[in-house]
Amino acid sequence: MPPPKKSVAAEPPKWVALPHDLYATTCAELVTFSHKTANSNAPPGGIRLAPEQALKLPYVSARTLLGVGEVPALDYVANAGKTATVVKQLNQLREGVATAPANEATRILATLAAATAQGAQIGTDKVSLRARQLLLPRQGGYVSVTPLTSGGVNRKLRTKVRQHNEHLREVPDENLRRIPVAIFGLGGSNPQNVGSLVRDMQRPLVFFAPTENRQLKAVLALHFQGVRMRLPRPLLRGFRDWYADCRRRHGGRIPTNMDSRDEEIVHVRAIARAILAQGDAARQRLLAQRDVLPAGGSPLVSAEADPVARGLVDPELRDKEWPRAFALRLARLIADYRFGDGKDEFQFEQADIFELQAMIEEVVR
């Protein structure tokens, strides 16, 4: 059995002495959001949040981190000369891992705090053609927005995720899961052009979409849309055959005697009852799944749904005008319904809509 591997402590980063003026100049142009995160070839620029822009909300963002007293690591707007080294060492000082002399570290941190005590906008007078633009509706018009990534927020997330995953590796817990991360190419062949925190931005979190629950989807569709009338094809075909036969036997007209009238009423009422049965079945389904509906299923069908569809599901939502509206809707569906494969097409006469409506209305009143 091989001997256990000995853990090797990471060596502290080597400190590079640089002029203090270089720190002061670089600190003044540090940003929370850099244009380079949208496109590494975009002109230098970015935005630095001010302390008063902090938000106290249950979300992870640069402003909400400020809201709980944590300042996201800042980054440079462009990599030039010793800028990358300066920012790297500034962040090492903030994180307490730098090996700088105590007096120098105190002076540099004071300079950083003074320079970043207020917000700043750098290179924002023009919008680069390389920057993505989103048009968001606002007050009757639109406002153009360029989404930018905060490298400091990415660093905070990556640190927490690594701590979580390493803890699970050392102390397995069946109640917790390892958080998966991916590798995201950013910055091309020289990622440092994007920023000093680019490697933290190259490890996005991976989320798996939930499995579709068809039953829940169908129930929520009934709640928000009501039930859609589905004409019972066998009953409609029987009505069509009777209707066509009557017209064929009577010179293209429907006889007006009582027997023919009664037969027509039987067909139409059977269709209307089948549609009402669809609404009742939808109602029973919603009642059985009421616990998953918004507001506990009260009302059973959303007020935003079509009034006819609402009343078809829930009889309590039918006003005095509902029977007529329902009858007219169903009469039009019957009249618009086409049979055949194009060669032997059949269609009810539009002039019969009002007669159909009257027959249907008798069923629901």
Side-chain angles (χ1 to χ4, degrees):
M1 183 176 180
K5 294 182 180 180
K6 296 181 180 179
S7 60
V8 179
E11 295 184 3
K14 183 179 179 180
W15 182 261
V16 180
L18 296 170
H20 189 78
D21 289 346
L22 183 56
Y23 280 101
T25 303
T26 303
C27 288
E29 293 193 341
L30 292 178
V31 293
T32 313
F33 304 95
S34 170
H35 292 173
K36 297 286 187 178
T37 61
N39 190 312
S40 59
N41 293 318
I47 297 172
R48 181 172 68 241
L49 295 179
E52 59 269 19
Q53 290 178 286
L55 285 178
K56 292 189 176 181
L57 293 173
Y59 305 105
V60 178
S61 70
R63 296 180 68 185
T64 55
L65 284 177
L66 290 174
V68 294
E70 295 191 28
V71 180
L74 302 175
D75 214 340
Y76 51 75
V77 294
N79 184 15
K82 296 290 185 179
T83 300
T85 303
V86 171
V87 175
K88 178 181 178 181
Q89 295 192 158
L90 282 170
N91 287 326
Q92 289 173 352
L93 286 173
R94 291 179 67 250
E95 295 166 4
V97 297
T99 56
N103 292 340
E104 185 176 358
T106 301
R107 185 184 180 193
I108 293 174
L109 287 175
T111 300
L112 174 63
T116 59
Q118 57 186 358
Q121 296 186 27
I122 301 169
T124 57
D125 54 324
K126 295 181 181 179
V127 177
S128 170
L129 294 177
R130 299 179 183 275
R132 301 175 183 88
Q133 294 290 292
L134 297 178
L135 294 177
L136 303 180
R138 181 181 180 185
Q139 297 177 354
Y142 291 88
V143 59
S144 179
V145 176
T146 298
L148 298 177
T149 301
S150 169
V153 174
N154 280 264
R155 168 161 288 190
K156 179 67 67 174
L157 283 173
R158 188 184 180 196
T159 299
K160 294 295 183 181
V161 169
R162 291 175 66 179
Q163 290 174 350
H164 172 84
N165 290 342
E166 289 174 2
H167 176 73
L168 282 183
R169 186 165 52 249
E170 297 172 359
V171 185
D173 186 340
E174 61 181 13
N175 295 319
L176 297 175
R177 292 185 179 182
R178 181 181 179 277
I179 301 175
V181 295
I183 298 177
F184 178 55
L186 189 65
S189 59
N190 189 7
Q192 287 294 115
N193 287 338
V194 175
S196 65
L197 306 173
V198 64
R199 287 174 178 78
D200 296 294
M201 291 185 274
Q202 291 177 333
R203 296 295 184 271
L205 303 181
V206 176
F207 297 92
F208 297 97
T211 304
E212 182 182 23
N213 186 329
R214 292 183 179 275
Q215 181 178 356
L216 176 60
K217 182 179 179 180
V219 169
L220 291 177
L222 286 176
H223 170 76
F224 286 107
Q225 301 173 14
V227 67
R228 179 184 177 184
M229 295 184 193
R230 301 186 305 278
L231 292 177
R233 192 173 181 83
L235 294 178
L236 207 60
R237 216 174 252 289
F239 184 33
R240 184 277 309 264
D241 292 344
W242 172 86
Y243 191 87
D245 182 62
C246 280
R247 292 181 61 184
R248 186 166 51 250
R249 288 187 292 108
H250 296 87
R253 301 177 62 184
I254 299 296
T256 57
N257 58 65
M258 291 297 297
D259 291 339
S260 297
R261 180 70 173 177
D262 289 344
E263 288 182 29
E264 185 177 13
I265 290 174
V266 168
H267 284 288
V268 173
R269 287 184 176 179
I271 294 172
R273 290 193 184 98
I275 299 297
L276 292 173
Q278 293 174 10
D280 185 62
R283 172 181 170 80
Q284 297 305 320
R285 189 172 187 180
L286 287 173
L287 289 174
Q289 301 287 332
R290 200 163 197 164
D291 57 320
V292 302
L293 299 179
S298 181
L300 200 59
V301 186
S302 170
E304 301 298 322
D306 172 71
V308 173
R310 292 186 78 210
L312 184 56
V313 175
D314 191 349
E316 296 180 3
L317 300 177
R318 300 175 186 175
D319 57 21
K320 63 180 182 179
E321 297 298 327
W322 186 87
R324 178 166 297 178
F326 166 77
L328 181 58
R329 178 82 57 86
L330 181 53
R332 285 175 173 168
L333 285 176
I334 294 174
D336 288 340
Y337 199 90
R338 284 178 168 80
F339 295 88
D341 56 3
K343 298 179 181 178
D344 184 25
E345 191 72 23
F346 175 87
Q347 184 179 3
F348 292 104
E349 296 292 337
Q350 290 289 330
D352 296 328
I353 287 180
F354 295 111
E355 290 188 15
L356 293 172
Q357 177 186 349
M359 298 177 195
I360 297 168
E361 197 170 341
E362 290 177 2
V363 177
V364 294
R365 283 202 180 275

